[in-house]
Amino acid sequence: MAGNREFFNRRLHSLLGVIPIGIFLLQHLTVNHFATKGADSFNTAANFMGNLPFKIVLETVVIYLPILFHAIYGLYIAFTATSNISRFGYFRNWMYIIQRVTGVITLIFIAWHVWQTRVAAAFGSEVDFDMMAEILSSPFMFGFYLVGILSAIFHFANGLWSFLVSWGITVSPRSQKISTYFTMVVFVLLSIVGIRTLLAFI
């Protein structure tokens, strides 16, 4: 019974990391990338997302609850799981370790980012280009956001590889090798998007 529950929790944890959390990450990166076209472009995109109907319900069901489960169970895995070098080899073992580290970093970053933006908005602050420009004007905060965004992107990209394995989509060594290259390309491309966005606010 306990084994079945753990199997289900791990599958759910993996699924939520891609759908809906991964999709939300892609959407968030896309909206924020409008900053590269200027303040007005970013503000228009951000306002559109901020004025969606049933926004609170959507955020709770599609974002907050999945992230809460993914984070809590992810921390459990991070602090209880053992190395998987015997199963996947040296490279994948390092990816496994980095996945856990970036998961913790991403959780801290998301909590801080929500505090700086969503909580501030609840108290009347305007979440717009000027707010992000002010936040990122600090070299420390720029570095913090850079590390946080790259950690989130790596965690998603490498988690996508794990999702494909755990759901039986990539079973053979060859398919897992191909998915490794694919997810590395995903990481590089999304990292370019994230870095360009951060620089646009400077």
Side-chain angles (χ1 to χ4, degrees):
M1 183 71 71
N4 290 337
R5 188 184 306 115
E6 182 175 359
F7 176 81
F8 173 79
N9 287 338
R10 284 181 176 270
R11 283 292 185 92
L12 181 60
H13 175 263
S14 175
L15 177 64
L16 291 178
V18 177
I19 306 170
I21 299 173
I23 293 176
F24 171 70
L25 173 66
L26 297 177
Q27 174 265 321
H28 204 54
L29 287 170
T30 300
V31 171
N32 289 345
H33 194 256
F34 277 91
T36 61
K37 300 180 182 296
D40 290 341
S41 181
F42 173 81
N43 290 339
T44 299
N47 287 335
F48 172 77
M49 295 304 302
N51 292 314
L52 288 175
F54 310 109
K55 184 184 71 170
I56 296 178
V57 175
L58 287 172
E59 287 181 335
T60 301
V61 175
V62 179
I63 303 172
Y64 297 134
L65 290 180
I67 286 179
L68 184 62
F69 174 84
H70 190 81
I72 292 173
Y73 197 73
L75 287 174
Y76 167 77
I77 293 174
F79 290 106
T80 60
T82 56
S83 167
N84 66 346
I85 191 170
S86 61
R87 181 181 178 192
F88 289 120
Y90 186 79
F91 172 76
R92 267 297 141 197
N93 190 59
W94 271 108
M95 294 298 99
Y96 183 86
I97 293 171
I98 297 173
Q99 181 73 357
R100 272 63 195 161
V101 173
T102 55
V104 174
I105 294 173
T106 301
L107 179 58
I108 295 171
F109 170 68
I110 290 175
W112 184 258
H113 182 56
V114 169
W115 173 263
Q116 280 192 312
T117 56
R118 301 301 300 160
V119 175
F123 285 97
S125 297
E126 187 73 22
V127 181
D128 57 9
F129 186 95
D130 291 338
M131 170 190 268
M132 293 308 304
E134 182 178 352
I135 291 173
L136 295 172
S137 64
S138 162
F140 173 80
M141 289 309 302
F142 182 88
F144 176 73
Y145 267 72
L146 178 62
V147 172
I149 290 171
L150 292 180
S151 293
I153 292 171
F154 177 89
H155 194 75
F156 164 69
N158 192 58
L160 182 59
W161 183 91
S162 300
F163 167 82
L164 294 173
V165 173
S166 63
W167 282 83
I169 299 172
T170 53
V171 179
S172 68
R174 183 173 182 274
S175 64
Q176 291 176 9
K177 185 176 182 179
I178 292 173
S179 67
T180 294
Y181 292 132
F182 171 73
T183 54
M184 289 176 69
V185 170
V186 169
F187 169 71
V188 171
L189 293 179
L190 293 182
S191 294
I192 292 172
V193 172
I195 292 171
R196 290 190 73 229
T197 298
L198 286 178
L199 294 175
F201 289 110
I202 302 301

